[in-house]
Amino acid sequence: MSKRVHTTASSRLKQDYLRIRKDPVPYVTAAPLPTNILEWHYCVTGPEKTPYEGGYYHGKLVFPKEFPFRPPKILMITPNGRFKTNTRLCLSISDFHPDTWNPAWSVSTILTGLLSFMVETSPTLGSIETHEYQKKQLALSSGEFNIKNEIFCELFPEICEEIKIKLKERGEHEVQQTIPNTTSSGHEENEGLVGSTIANLVVIVGFAAFAYTVKCVIRAVGSS
């Protein structure tokens, strides 16, 4: 019986994978592990005009052998300011609420529901309250966090390349912002050094002229 149920879950998830490849969920990319179709990983690209814009959020769905008759565990791996990381999320589409689960729901339905709840502010078990500024800062650092994860890079190579390009562009932009300031500072320092040298020369010449004048006065007094 257990083997038959597992076969049913695998068959259903394979169908869901083909469906999600053909008709992707907006802002979400998802794929199962090559060695375990019951464990899926997803990447949410932060929607525009939200605190998550520009961010990449890695998480996973762990399906039971009884799927689609029982719901999956839903976890977020990337720090995001909305959900605790590596913690089961209490949602109506997760294993926290088997009573509200509908076997007709697909992986696409689950990911759509997750994204919808992520951009809301409703609290639940596994969610946290974070200021929008902190969420935006986490969005900026999310890409760098994810490319250190081997599973993420294995399942989402195109997203990894996209992240690396953005990080390179950001680094070049920061360098360009720094160089003019350094050049300007060096130019100002050089100008200050030249000005100080000229001022010292003027003082020395003035002192020498004064000394020469005093010496001439002394000689004139002595001669008289």
Side-chain angles (χ1 to χ4, degrees):
M1 178 67 178
S2 176
K3 185 176 180 181
R4 185 177 67 80
V5 171
H6 190 187
T7 302
T8 302
S10 298
S11 177
R12 171 63 180 273
L13 289 169
K14 287 176 182 177
Q15 291 177 10
D16 281 0
Y17 182 54
L18 292 175
R19 190 178 298 115
I20 208 170
R21 288 278 301 248
K22 184 178 179 180
D23 187 18
V25 177
Y27 301 105
V28 185
T29 305
L33 288 179
T35 56
N36 182 10
I37 199 168
L38 295 179
E39 181 175 323
W40 284 53
H41 287 250
Y42 62 84
C43 177
V44 175
T45 302
E48 297 84 0
K49 298 180 181 179
T50 71
Y52 312 103
E53 183 175 357
Y56 299 87
Y57 303 95
H58 175 206
K60 66 180 179 179
L61 310 174
V62 181
F63 293 92
K65 293 179 180 180
E66 296 80 11
F67 182 81
F69 305 104
R70 288 180 55 200
K73 296 176 184 176
I74 303 177
L75 303 95
M76 184 71 77
I77 297 171
T78 308
N80 53 87
R82 172 62 167 138
F83 301 120
K84 294 178 182 178
T85 58
N86 300 304
T87 301
R88 289 165 58 214
L89 303 180
C90 178
L91 306 173
S92 60
I93 51 176
S94 74
D95 63 336
F96 264 97
H97 293 285
D99 53 317
T100 61
W101 171 253
N102 185 338
W105 290 344
S106 64
V107 174
S108 295
T109 306
I110 295 166
L111 294 173
T112 300
L114 172 65
L115 176 62
S116 176
F117 192 80
M118 182 175 178
V119 296
E120 293 177 0
T121 56
S122 305
T124 189
L125 186 63
S127 68
I128 53 178
E129 292 185 13
T130 311
H131 193 275
E132 285 199 4
Y133 173 78
Q134 292 175 296
K135 291 179 181 178
K136 290 177 181 178
Q137 293 301 112
L138 289 170
L140 289 173
S141 62
S142 61
E144 192 171 359
F145 177 89
N146 290 326
I147 60 175
K148 296 176 183 177
N149 186 297
E150 291 183 6
I151 294 177
F152 182 88
C153 293
E154 180 184 353
L155 293 178
F156 311 117
E158 293 180 359
I159 296 177
C160 279
E161 286 304 312
E162 182 179 319
I163 290 171
K164 289 176 182 178
I165 291 171
K166 285 190 176 182
L167 289 175
K168 183 179 179 181
E169 289 175 348
R170 188 191 306 168
E172 289 175 350
H173 179 66
E174 289 174 354
V175 168
Q176 288 174 356
Q177 284 186 322
T178 305
I179 288 175
N181 293 334
T182 304
T183 305
S184 175
S185 176
H187 183 64
E188 289 174 0
E189 287 179 3
N190 288 336
E191 285 186 345
L193 182 59
V194 171
S196 177
T197 302
I198 292 173
N200 289 336
L201 287 173
V202 170
V203 171
I204 292 171
V205 171
F207 182 78
F210 176 75
Y212 179 77
T213 302
V214 171
K215 187 175 181 182
C216 289
V217 170
I218 292 173
R219 284 181 179 175
V221 171
S223 300
S224 59

